[in-house]
Each structure stands twice: as structure tokens, then as C-alpha cells.
């Protein structure tokens, strides 16, 4: 079976607790700095707030950058990303 071209992975970091929203927004800034410094091209980056005590930060990267992101930044989880989601 051939590997799909241009597979994108959504790396996700979860933040919980009373300061989750603030911490997630702050972490997003560091992700942008990391991407620039390490020359990691990302397709999309953002913050989502699910409740007052649960927010996430995500970064969508091509599969060729996943190893670097996973080893250096240790996201909590990841999933395949599709523009149709």
C-alpha cells in the first residue's frame, strides 16, 4: 500500500485547570517561535477552548516534520488532519 502524499498531522497539547486558556495562548507564541527557529513549516496553528478549565493548542504539520515536533515538543496526542474536518 502506498503512503498518501502530503499527509498532515495535527499535534495537540492539552492544558487543564483554572489558567488553561491563558497558558494555551502563551504556549502558542512559543510554538510559533519554535517553528521559525527550527524551520518547521506548519499549515495551521491555533488555540481552542473547550471549557473554562480545558484548552488545547494545535499545530498541523506535514508528516516529514512530525518526528522533530514529537521528539522536541512532546505533544499530548496527534491525529491525521484533513481540510474537510
Amino acid at each position: 500500500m502506498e503512503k498518501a502524499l502530503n499527509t498532515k498531522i495535527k499535534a495537540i497539547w492539552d492544558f487543564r485547570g483554572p489558567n488553561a486558556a491563558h497558558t494555551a495562548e502563551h504556549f502558542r507564541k512559543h510554538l510559533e517561535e519554535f517553528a521559525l527557529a527550527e524551520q518547521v513549516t506548519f499549515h495551521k496553528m491555533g488555540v481552542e477552548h473547550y471549557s473554562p478549565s480545558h484548552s488545547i493548542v494545535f499545530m498541523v504539520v506535514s508528516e516529514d516534520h512530525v518526528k522533530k515536533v514529537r521528539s522536541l515538543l512532546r505533544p499530548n496526542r496527534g491525529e491525521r488532519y484533513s481540510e474537510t474536518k
Side-chain angles (χ1 to χ4, degrees):
M1 185 170 159
E2 283 188 41
K3 190 163 115 178
L5 295 175
N6 299 322
T7 300
K8 295 176 186 165
I9 304 297
K10 183 178 183 180
I12 302 167
W13 292 265
D14 289 283
F15 295 92
R16 297 182 187 275
N19 295 320
H22 174 76
T23 304
E25 296 289 348
H26 183 78
F27 186 74
R28 181 179 191 264
K29 293 176 187 175
H30 288 293
L31 274 184
E32 290 173 348
E33 293 167 356
F34 168 84
L36 181 63
E38 296 293 327
Q39 299 178 345
V40 172
T41 303
F42 61 91
H43 301 278
K44 190 173 184 179
M45 183 183 296
V47 176
E48 295 176 1
H49 306 287
Y50 293 112
S51 74
S53 62
H54 183 209
S55 295
I56 69 162
V57 179
F58 68 89
M59 180 166 58
V60 178
V61 297
S62 297
E63 198 169 32
D64 56 327
H65 290 290
V66 170
K67 249 186 179 178
K68 180 182 266 189
V69 169
R70 188 174 54 213
S71 67
L72 295 176
L73 299 177
R74 300 179 57 191
N76 299 110
R77 53 198 167 103
E79 58 188 42
R80 288 182 192 239
Y81 179 80
S82 172
E83 296 292 331
T84 60
K85 282 188 174 180

